[in-house]
Amino acid sequence: MTIQAMTAQEVTMKVFNKEELFIVDVRNESDFKDWKIEGENFEHINTPYFELLDGVEEMIKEIPTHKEVLVVCAKEGSSVMVAEMLSDYGVDVFYLKGGMKAWSEHIEPVKVGDLDDGGEMYQFVRVGKGCLSYMVVSDGEAAVIDATRMTDIYLDFAISKGAKITNVFDTHLHADHISGGRTIAEKTGAAYWLPPKDATEVTFDYSPLEDGHDVVIGNTTISIAALYSPGHTIGSTSFVVGNKFLLSGDILFIDSIGRPDLAGMAEDWVGDLRETLYERYRQLSEELIVLPAHFMIIDELNEDGSVSERLGTLFTNNHGLRIENETEFRHLVTENLPPQPHAFQEIREVNMGKISPDLEQQREMEIGPNRCAVR
Amino acid sequence: MENLKANLTLDATGLACPMPIVKTKKAMNSLEPGQVLEIQATDKGSKADMKAWAESSGHQYLGTIEEGKVLKHYLHKSSNDESMEKKHQKVIHNEELEKSLEINKNIVLIDVREYAEYAFNHIPNAISIPLGELEGKLNELNKEDEIYVVCRTGNRSDLAAQKLTENGFTYVVNVVPGMSQWNGETTGIID
């Protein structure tokens, strides 16, 4: 029997298409518990590779014969070793090319809709980490919002659409992933927009995003309206694009809401978060399609792999938008918080331009789930 | 940097997972129980895996020192001395020693574990004399002192206490169970 590589992209397609996959995760138990590849019809077993050095005989009986089997480790090496051992027993197996590092970095662009006057909205799904970024394309111009550090995908995508990136935005200073915004702006000569209240400590020049400010993309006036929406961070800003989409950053997600503590100010920002969600967002059209900066669980993915929902539907279905009692709301967002993202302080410093770690260090910092929400 | 005196040093630099652990496992097989292995690796993931592997295979992970890009991991090979019968009569329990140390700062406390075990975690003011070197260092100790002897589980210290008594030391006390369950203050290389 032979072993074959399966790419992060192929695994992503299995997530989107809800296919079955049996995952043998050979990382150590704490890494597995912290973060794993999730799909609606994925099954997992976890046995660290270092417990399999004497053989996989014990494990063979747990491996199904009627499903595709994928061995996964951190970087690939151990999964190849275990896959080869399994294949000696006659099992057909795949290993994940590039391991969880590649899984964390893979990004899949999905079209979420058309804008009036011929514009298009694309969502870039970083399925392994739950990060979502966006590109608005209109008449030869493009805007990128909440870009990840894998900047080539946006640059190449814009070229494939025949568009020049003219504006780059971050809805807020991110704490869970390293922003690619500044790099894209430098490479394309685009303006890099940041909310000034989140940018007080940044070490580079930027264009300040202000409430009510409009930026036009393309000749067909797709306007991006900045909506000051503090709560996750003090400067958090949402964008209304072409009167059709609400890019909600880390303020509102499909099945949860933003957490106010990652910049260390949970108590202070609860009131802002509530005002944004319960007053400012209420004044918007319920027909707006909400496009958040994250998803937390795989159930939030639509059939095509995109993550979006009508604002009106979220007012009915999202628990975080339906807590009448203010004390109860305060309790939810300050006391029931999940663990904070891995290395979030350092990531914030990278995004402020204060430290410049090498690629390997950046990867290490970003390992794990995003954890930007409370549910 | 103090010398941690590993019995064997394994070069796993430049190797990616799973090779550092594969080589460590082989090297451990060649060691005697109770000996210390130093593994030099550059794979960042090796630290968590080394810890988890040691735990699952019954060895003790002592700690890691970072020197530039090189991670030096220290493992202590498990010895089957846990069930050994202790012979030295005079013993003190961890908690009592902890109290005595607070009252009397001049207590002579000898830690007879290997240097690397001592280096990462020991009681402040404890003197490091590995069991194997005790014989040659007897003349550095005062026969009239109250001497307390500690190791990981109380067995090596039992042997050390016997040796001291045979050599005319008058007040020797074995600390039980020892560092494996010590809850008091400790110091050492910050891992």
Side-chain angles (χ1 to χ4, degrees), chain A residues 28 31 49-51 53-54 75 77-78 81 358 361 364, chain B residues 17-18 21-22 25 43-45 48-49 52-53 56 69:
Chain A
N28 68 51
D31 288 351
Y49 70 92
F50 46 78
E51 289 178 10
L53 298 178
D54 291 328
K75 279 176 284 192
S78 302
M81 178 187 80
D358 65 30
Q361 290 168 321
E364 289 288 332
Chain B
C17 183
I21 299 273
V22 170
K25 186 174 191 284
D43 184 343
K44 284 239 168 74
D49 287 357
W53 174 77
S56 80
K69 287 199 178 300

Side-chain angles (χ1 to χ4, degrees), chain A residues 182-193:
Chain A
R182 187 157 53 114
T183 306
I184 295 174
E186 279 166 9
K187 285 189 179 169
T188 58
Y192 181 30
W193 300 85

Side-chain angles (χ1 to χ4, degrees), chain A residues 259-261 265-270 327-337 374:
Chain A
R259 61 191 290 172
D261 64 313
M265 307 283 265
E267 290 294 331
D268 293 10
W269 294 346
V270 178
T327 316
E328 197 185 315
F329 181 83
R330 179 170 285 273
H331 183 78
L332 173 80
V333 299
T334 56
E335 287 169 38
N336 287 334
L337 294 171
V374 276

Side-chain angles (χ1 to χ4, degrees), chain A residues 45-283:
Chain A
I45 53 170
N46 170 228
T47 308
Y49 70 92
F50 46 78
E51 289 178 10
L52 298 168
L53 298 178
D54 291 328
V56 291
E57 203 168 6
E58 288 287 303
M59 189 197 257
I60 287 290
K61 56 183 180 291
E62 294 182 62
I63 309 278
T65 49
H66 58 285
K67 278 184 193 176
E68 282 188 324
V69 177
L70 176 68
V71 187
V72 171
C73 71
K75 279 176 284 192
E76 182 180 301
S78 302
S79 64
V80 171
M81 178 187 80
V82 174
E84 278 170 351
M85 293 167 94
L86 287 169
S87 94
D88 288 344
Y89 282 84
V91 186
D92 263 325
V93 280
F94 294 88
Y95 65 90
L96 177 61
K97 193 162 194 283
M100 290 303 278
K101 284 201 166 155
W103 179 242
S104 169
E105 292 183 350
H106 182 71
I107 292 172
E108 197 67 34
V110 181
K111 183 172 172 179
V112 284
D114 290 316
L115 293 153
D116 294 341
D117 305 326
E120 294 172 308
M121 172 66 87
Y122 290 90
Q123 184 176 54
F124 289 71
V125 185
R126 184 178 182 182
V127 69
K129 202 170 158 59
C131 296
L132 303 168
S133 45
Y134 297 90
M135 192 183 292
V136 181
V137 182
S138 177
D139 199 25
E141 276 189 47
V144 184
I145 299 116
D146 288 335
T148 66
R149 65 181 165 78
M150 276 65 76
T151 52
D152 284 349
I153 187 154
Y154 310 97
L155 298 169
D156 294 345
F157 193 82
I159 291 168
S160 77
K161 293 283 156 192
K164 177 175 166 45
I165 297 172
T166 52
N167 289 277
V168 178
F169 302 85
D170 272 329
T171 51
H172 62 288
L173 187 79
H174 297 285
D176 65 290
H177 68 272
I178 293 165
S179 171
R182 187 157 53 114
T183 306
I184 295 174
E186 279 166 9
K187 285 189 179 169
T188 58
Y192 181 30
W193 300 85
L194 277 177
K197 287 188 179 175
D198 274 8
T200 50
E201 294 177 53
V202 304
T203 59
F204 47 84
D205 291 331
Y206 67 96
S207 308
L209 268 169
E210 271 143 21
D211 199 15
H213 192 100
D214 272 10
V215 178
V216 174
I217 307 297
N219 295 328
T220 49
T221 62
I222 304 299
S223 68
I224 294 184
L227 174 71
Y228 178 53
S229 33
H232 175 65
T233 60
I234 185 66
S236 283
T237 301
S238 307
F239 299 116
V240 178
V241 180
N243 284 321
K244 190 164 178 185
F245 296 103
L246 171 63
L247 270 62
S248 58
D250 280 9
I251 290 291
L252 174 61
F253 305 113
I254 302 303
D255 195 34
S256 52
I257 58 174
R259 61 191 290 172
D261 64 313
L262 295 183
M265 307 283 265
E267 290 294 331
D268 293 10
W269 294 346
V270 178
D272 289 329
L273 181 63
R274 186 164 175 94
E275 193 189 322
T276 294
L277 292 174
Y278 286 72
E279 289 171 36
R280 300 209 77 172
Y281 275 12
R282 291 275 171 184
Q283 292 161 15

